[in-house]
Structure formats: structure tokens, C-alpha cells
Amino acid sequence: PHFLFLKYEDMKKDLLSAVKTIVAFLEVDLDEATIRGIAEACTFDNMSADLQKKEAPHRQFAVRKGVVGDWKNIFSQEESEAFDAWYEKKLSGTGITFDFE
């Protein structure tokens, strides 16, 4: 396959498995300790903390909570309905699904 579909929700559920999926997709040979180290470095908390340390005066980083389903606290009902319509139109028939909760 030429594409790997990796979803944030899946990474939140099981980051280590997601990293292993990426390693297999890229066909690289990494030992278990390295894979676990990558997964630990890629947790939301660690990546968020790392972004806070970056000095990039020309860019602003926006990091939300890293919580699946937090969109409900941001989208209005109208925005949610508009997104649902867009999502259905663009992804219908692809087999790609997302967990919004």
C-alpha cells in the first residue's frame, strides 16, 4: 500500500500499536525499546511540552487539550451539522470512518 491512514483517535486508544503500525508500514527494523521510546516521546503531553520549549517568534502554536470528542466544547450545533454534511459528502464510500467520541 502507498498510504497509511492513521487516526488521532486510534493513537489515543493505543499509541504503542500505532507506532508499531507505522514502523511496519515504513518497513524499518526497530527493536522494542526504540519503538517504546518513540511512543513515549509522541504522547500528547510530551509533544505539547516540547512545543512550549520551541522558540519560533514568527509562528504561534495552538495546542488544544488532546481529548477525543472535545470538539463538542468548541463547535456550535450549526458548525457540527455543517461538518457532518461535509464529512458525509467527502468520505462517503471510502470506508474511512472516525470515532468522534
Side-chain angles (χ1 to χ4, degrees):
H2 299 284
F3 296 95
L4 173 64
F5 289 100
L6 189 64
K7 298 179 283 187
Y8 181 77
E9 295 82 2
D10 294 337
M11 291 187 293
K12 284 295 285 188
K13 286 179 189 172
D14 188 352
L15 184 56
L16 184 59
S17 289
V19 172
K20 288 179 179 181
T21 298
I22 295 166
V23 168
F25 178 77
L26 295 175
E27 299 178 344
V28 293
D29 186 26
L30 299 176
D31 61 43
E32 187 69 22
T34 302
I35 292 170
R36 288 185 180 280
I38 291 168
E40 180 60 29
C42 292
T43 64
F44 180 84
D45 290 340
N46 284 339
M47 291 186 74
S48 180
D50 191 47
L51 277 176
Q52 299 304 318
K53 296 176 196 173
K54 300 286 185 204
E55 291 188 33
H58 60 284
R59 288 196 283 171
Q60 291 183 343
F61 298 103
V63 178
R64 293 186 25 222
K65 298 175 189 173
V67 175
V68 173
D70 190 48
W71 62 271
K72 291 182 275 183
N73 296 319
I74 298 182
F75 279 27
S76 68
Q77 183 65 32
E78 183 179 316
E79 291 168 328
S80 178
E81 290 170 2
F83 178 80
D84 288 345
W86 178 89
Y87 172 81
E88 182 64 30
K89 179 181 177 184
K90 297 292 186 178
L91 298 179
S92 179
T94 65
I96 299 172
T97 59
F98 292 92
D99 301 322
F100 295 111
E101 302 294 326

